[in-house]
Amino acid sequence: MALRSSSSLLPLLIGLLSILHLYHTTTSLAIRVGIVIKPSPNLPVFREAPAFRNGDECGSEDQKHIHVAMTLDANYIRGTMAAVLSILQHSTCPENLSFYFLSAHSEANLFSAIKSTFPYLNFKIYRFDLNLVHGKISKSIRQALDQPLNYARIYLADIIPSNVGRVIYLDSDIVVVDDIVKLWDVDMEDKVVAAPEYCHANFTQYFTDAFWSDQEFSKTFHGRNPCYFNTGVMVMDVDKWRKGEYTQKVEEWMAVQKNKRIYHLGSLPPFLLVLAGNIKAVDHRWNQHGLGGDNFKGKCRNLHPGPISLLHWSGKGKPWLRLDSRKPCNIDHLWKPYDLYRSSKQSLEE
């Protein structure tokens, strides 16, 4: 059998290489030490993030291990990836970070997505048992607020390892533009939760007239100076949370809500009922919240005055959705540099 000339084989080789390149870019195969990790076809495909390493000044990883908890959901995973990248990129000691992801779905598919995007990340995924909130969630003003995973933060202390005494809880629609160790190092002064407080907000609006007109309910804040705080950015003393049985305290108000509508906003109000006026206040720079607009239309909003360490797209509008629709708000362009999503168009161009 005669061999073809090299010139006649060239087009065939080019064609084969093109097919292999297309296969590689569309499946985002990640190979590390002989292990092939292939993200689920039901999840978005992401570019691999750079490896972030500790500087010499970091010393031993055990000297200061920072624990960060987030929820992990297919609808918000693009935001989660951007959030993780922003935290690593701005951290002086990124290898000292441990991430705990709470998920209500298949851990295997989500693990593959995280591992292929962040091959060197120290993380674990924990299953959030939906039965924990079965029959306890009341309908709110926006369907996204009614998702069971939105209530996972209430049970965080009982899910993550018992030897973890402090954790930073973060929503998926944030980016951090400062070293997260500064938030970790906050002096909690024996408080259970530390978060930015907003005492100029109209606190009464978070509860219904039925709540304020009830003499027993209205006594809830007696002896406290309650202020609004956003539960999407919290430092939690999980040891104190466990010992004080705060999960049960929040659940008690959820049970009241099932019988008498006393609030409208999902998992936030029961946190306020238990903790408002009794948290450690953190600088507002650590939660520039509300960038997603209100809970109905998600209209564009500007940044609040002052320094910024964390941007938070709380509200209906999410930056990845507005960017994809080609109707972004100006503020969404601050999120875009952290977006690791690889669209089909980008894959074909690579």
Side-chain angles (χ1 to χ4, degrees):
M1 180 177 175
L3 293 173
R4 295 185 182 181
S5 67
S6 59
S7 59
S8 62
L9 285 171
L10 187 59
L12 178 62
L13 289 171
I14 292 174
L16 286 171
L17 287 171
S18 298
I19 292 171
L20 288 171
H21 176 71
L22 178 60
Y23 174 78
H24 173 76
T25 55
T26 54
T27 57
S28 187
L29 280 161
I31 302 174
R32 284 291 178 274
V33 199
I35 299 174
V36 178
I37 300 170
K38 189 175 180 180
S40 166
N42 298 322
L43 293 175
V45 177
F46 300 94
R47 301 189 305 278
E48 183 178 313
F52 296 93
R53 300 301 189 188
N54 284 358
D56 293 336
E57 68 275 20
C58 294
S60 169
E61 292 181 23
D62 296 330
Q63 289 181 352
K64 182 172 287 185
H65 215 71
I66 299 173
H67 304 279
V68 179
M70 304 178 73
T71 56
L72 195 57
D73 177 80
N75 293 325
Y76 286 83
I77 193 170
R78 190 168 164 189
T80 303
M81 295 294 195
V84 172
L85 176 61
S86 70
I87 294 168
L88 294 172
Q89 184 170 316
H90 295 283
S91 177
T92 303
C93 305
E95 292 180 276
N96 291 10
L97 292 165
S98 289
F99 286 84
Y100 304 97
F101 297 109
L102 277 55
S103 172
H105 304 292
S106 171
E107 292 92 340
N109 290 341
L110 293 168
F111 181 90
S112 296
I114 297 288
K115 192 65 178 176
S116 61
T117 308
F118 300 102
Y120 307 100
L121 190 69
N122 181 15
F123 76 96
K124 290 183 180 179
I125 299 177
Y126 294 87
R127 182 69 178 269
F128 175 62
D129 185 359
L130 299 181
N131 290 322
L132 289 171
V133 290
H134 180 70
K136 298 175 183 176
I137 298 176
S138 302
K139 187 175 181 181
S140 66
I141 60 173
R142 184 159 62 91
Q143 187 176 2
L145 300 177
D146 301 337
Q147 300 306 307
L149 203 57
N150 197 42
Y151 289 77
R153 70 198 80 186
I154 298 170
Y155 303 90
L156 180 61
D158 301 319
I159 297 173
I160 62 176
S162 58
N163 63 340
V164 175
R166 177 184 290 205
V167 68
I168 298 174
Y169 175 83
L170 298 172
D171 275 350
S172 297
D173 51 0
I174 63 99
V175 292
V176 176
V177 293
D178 201 348
D179 195 336
I180 200 166
V181 72
K182 298 175 185 177
L183 180 59
W184 177 262
D185 283 340
V186 62
D187 181 1
M188 298 188 68
E189 299 178 357
D190 292 325
K191 302 297 184 182
V192 181
V193 166
E197 267 188 329
Y198 303 90
C199 294
H200 295 295
N202 181 7
F203 190 78
T204 60
Q205 69 178 336
Y206 295 101
F207 303 97
T208 64
D209 291 339
F211 173 85
W212 294 113
S213 62
D214 187 295
Q215 291 185 354
E216 289 301 315
F217 291 162
S218 59
K219 291 178 183 178
T220 302
F221 299 107
H222 181 71
R224 289 192 267 166
N225 180 25
C227 297
Y228 164 75
F229 68 94
N230 183 284
T231 56
V233 179
M234 297 184 290
V235 185
M236 302 176 69
D237 186 323
V238 284
D239 282 337
K240 286 188 173 64
W241 184 280
R242 296 175 186 122
K243 292 173 183 175
E245 298 183 342
Y246 281 88
T247 295
Q248 290 81 359
K249 292 176 181 178
V250 174
E251 284 184 324
E252 287 172 4
W253 281 112
M254 292 169 63
V256 171
Q257 168 75 349
K258 292 293 289 187
N259 295 318
K260 186 174 184 178
R261 193 165 181 81
I262 57 174
Y263 55 78
H264 300 297
L265 279 174
S267 64
L268 169 64
F271 263 91
L272 296 178
L273 286 162
V274 174
L275 291 163
N278 194 28
I279 70 168
K280 167 63 177 180
V282 175
D283 195 299
H284 288 180
R285 68 187 301 151
W286 283 104
N287 196 350
Q288 274 265 352
H289 67 288
L291 303 182
D294 59 25
N295 281 298
F296 298 101
K297 296 182 179 180
K299 292 183 178 180
C300 296
R301 287 183 177 175
N302 296 321
L303 288 173
H304 310 297
I308 301 169
S309 293
L310 184 148
L311 298 160
H312 188 186
W313 278 261
S314 57
K316 185 177 181 180
K318 303 306 173 189
W320 55 93
L321 296 177
R322 296 196 294 213
L323 286 163
D324 285 352
S325 69
R326 297 185 180 181
K327 296 179 180 179
C329 300
N330 290 335
I331 195 67
D332 297 337
H333 294 287
L334 296 178
W335 180 90
K336 190 174 181 180
Y338 303 99
D339 185 15
L340 290 168
Y341 173 62
R342 176 158 57 186
S343 67
S344 56
K345 180 181 178 181
Q346 288 173 319
S347 296
L348 289 170
E349 291 174 348
E350 290 179 0

